Each structure stands twice: as structure tokens, then as C-alpha cells.
């Protein structure tokens, strides 16, 4: 467990706490960890060359300081194949371990729309060599996110369209009901391996249609009943 000394006790200035805006509020949601679910829609698993049958979920993390609420995505260094992945974001207002699926939604503060931007070439090399995915997934500004909408306003969406347009042309479409591991099951599964806490967010995977971005592209995505997200690649 981390000690929390007074700020005057640090030898350098502590970094700011990463956070997301909350719709209808001046207060922000402080982000502790970002968990991401891999291959959680069957059609996306197939397009990436994998079996879409229900295998146990797998996870990776992005660093909270990769959150990007600017509406601008700077094309990252060391890649020439950067992909968009539109995703539903789940924000936890309460933590726990070994959370039962039937109790899992009680832990949700709200939902949002995000992009799991991916240096696909670097991820591909890492996969081939059996190495971790960090270099492909967890780089600066790699998690563009819109505001969170609290459960009190959005409820718990189990179905609804999720989409992404690039320069006005539809590229990704799916429905939340097509998730291989739905939100309660994902929270329950994660909580068996990690101690979840208030402030953790989960990026729940992307539907099919992923592809490369170019500088100048405008990405416009959304989830029915949750919100939209507009990001320009520069
Ligand atoms: Mn993803």
C-alpha cells in the first residue's frame, strides 16, 4: 500500500491527477488505473485472425496519464500504422475483489466513449515475439476520451449502437449486446485478479472495422445513450 505524505514531503513536484470531465458537473472523475479488454467483440476477434468463441477475457493496461481529453490526437512517434478502436468506457465509483456478476453494476459510477489508439505495427511485432503490448498500446495521448455520464442519467446500457466515422464515412459499427464479456462479467472477472478501486476505468473492447489513421483525419464516434467523441489527428 502507498503512503500518502503531505505534498511538501516530495523531492520533486508530484504529477497532476489524471481525470475525466463529468457531464452536467463542474467536478471531475479522478482516474486511478485504466484496464483494457482485448478482443471483446467476435467480429473484431475474427478480423484480427482469432477464434471468436468465448475464451477467458484478457487484459492490458494503459497508463492514466495517456488519457487525452483535448480533442486532438498527435500522431505518435515510431509508428507508421496507428489504428483507431472505438470503445465503451466504464468508470468505477466503488472497488472490491471477487465481485459477483450480480453485484458488479453497483460498482459503476458512469460510462463514457473512448478510443484505444494503437501502434498496430509495434503491437504486431510484440505479439510475434511473445512480448508485452505496452509499446503498441500505452503511449502518450493514446486514450482520447469524452466526458463521463453518471449512471443516474444513463442507466446501465446492455445494448445500443457503438460506431466510429472517419472523415464522415462509417468505419466501425457494432452493438454493446455483441460483447463477448459484458460489463458485469468483465468487472467480476477483473476483480478476481486485481483489487479494483474507485477511479478505475475499463475500456471494454472494440467492434470490427479497425483501421489506420492519417494526419488530418477527423474521428467521430459514439455509443447510443452515452455520448459522442470527436478527435482530430495532427
Ligand atoms: Mn482495444
Amino acid at each position: 500500500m502507498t503512503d500518502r505524505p503531505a505534498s511538501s514531503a516530495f523531492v520533486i513536484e508530484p504529477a497532476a491527477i489524471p481525470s475525466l470531465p463529468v457531464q452536467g458537473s463542474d467536478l471531475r472523475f479522478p482516474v486511478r488505473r485504466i484496464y483494457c479488454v482485448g478482443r471483446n467483440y467476435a467480429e473484431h476477434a475474427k478480423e484480427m485472425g482469432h477464434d471468436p468463441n468465448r475464451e477467458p477475457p484478457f487484459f492490458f493496461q494503459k497508463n492514466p496519464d495517456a488519457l487525452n481529453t483535448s480533442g486532438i490526437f498527435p500522431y505518435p512517434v515510431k509508428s507508421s500504422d496507428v489504428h483507431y478502436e472505438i470503445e465503451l468506457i466504464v468508470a468505477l465509483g466503488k472497488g472490491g475483489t471477487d465481485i459477483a456478476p450480480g453485484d458488479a453494476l453497483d460498482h459503476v459510477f458512469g460510462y463514457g466513449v473512448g478510443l484505444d489508439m494503437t501502434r498496430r505495427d509495434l503491437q504486431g511485432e510484440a505479439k510475434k515475439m511473445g512480448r508485452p503490448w505496452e509499446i503498441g498500446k500505452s503511449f502518450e495521448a493514446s486514450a482520447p476520451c469524452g466526458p463521463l455520464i453518471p449512471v443516474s442519467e444513463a442507466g446501465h446500457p446492455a445494448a445500443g449502437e457503438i460506431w466510429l466515422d472517419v472523415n464522415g464515412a462509417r468505419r466501425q459499427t457494432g452493438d454493446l449486446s455483441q460483447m463477448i464479456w459484458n460489463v458485469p462479467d468483465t468487472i467480476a472477472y477483473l476483480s478476481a485478479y486485481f483489487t479494483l478501486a474507485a477511479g478505475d476505468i475499463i475500456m471494454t473492447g472494440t467492434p470490427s472495422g479497425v483501421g489506420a489513421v492519417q494526419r488530418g483525419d477527423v474521428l467521430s464516434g459514439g455509443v447510443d445513450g452515452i455520448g459522442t467523441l470527436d478527435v482530430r489527428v495532427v
Side-chain angles (χ1 to χ4, degrees):
M1 293 290 114
T2 315
D3 290 326
R4 298 276 179 193
S7 62
S8 59
F10 293 109
V11 295
I12 57 170
E13 191 66 29
I17 296 172
S19 65
L20 290 172
V22 176
Q23 207 168 294
S25 172
D26 293 333
L27 300 177
R28 296 177 68 91
F29 180 91
V31 176
R32 173 182 176 262
R33 291 182 183 168
I34 306 175
Y35 295 101
C36 304
V37 188
R39 284 175 223 138
N40 200 25
Y41 290 76
E43 292 304 314
H44 174 60
K46 276 194 244 170
E47 76 179 349
M48 298 304 286
H50 295 276
D51 185 346
N53 290 319
R54 200 179 199 233
E55 291 172 352
F58 69 92
F59 303 94
F60 58 91
Q61 291 187 37
K62 283 185 188 261
N63 292 311
D65 73 352
L67 281 175
N68 172 5
T69 56
S70 68
I72 300 289
F73 174 72
Y75 199 97
V77 297
K78 300 288 185 188
S79 178
S80 55
D81 190 26
V82 177
H83 278 205
Y84 49 79
E85 296 188 357
I86 190 76
E87 311 207 357
L88 172 74
I89 288 176
V90 180
L92 299 186
K94 206 167 81 172
T97 55
D98 295 320
I99 298 166
D103 299 332
L105 293 181
D106 297 342
H107 296 253
V108 177
F109 166 81
Y111 297 90
V113 179
L115 282 160
D116 168 15
M117 299 304 291
T118 301
R119 290 193 284 210
R120 193 71 79 202
D121 43 3
L122 300 187
Q123 184 200 22
E125 283 168 33
K127 281 183 185 174
K128 239 180 278 168
M129 301 181 82
R131 288 178 178 165
W133 288 7
E134 265 80 1
I135 201 167
K137 287 289 194 180
S138 195
F139 54 92
E140 281 66 37
S142 64
C145 286
L148 298 177
I149 179 164
V151 167
S152 55
E153 285 173 51
H156 295 287
E161 195 187 2
I162 176 168
W163 73 91
L164 182 76
D165 294 344
V166 180
N167 304 325
R170 184 69 32 110
R171 292 293 165 78
Q172 288 195 270
T173 51
D175 194 283
L176 300 181
S177 63
Q178 296 164 342
M179 282 186 194
I180 297 171
W181 291 81
N182 64 20
V183 171
D185 286 354
T186 299
I187 293 170
Y189 198 97
L190 256 183
S191 75
Y193 288 85
F194 297 97
T195 299
L196 300 181
D200 291 347
I201 67 175
I202 304 169
M203 302 187 78
T204 56
T206 198
S208 60
V210 298
V213 298
Q214 310 297 332
R215 288 181 181 83
D217 283 350
V218 175
L219 313 179
S220 305
V223 177
D224 264 349
I226 300 302
T228 57
L229 174 66
D230 297 303
V231 173
R232 192 159 51 88
V233 182
V234 299

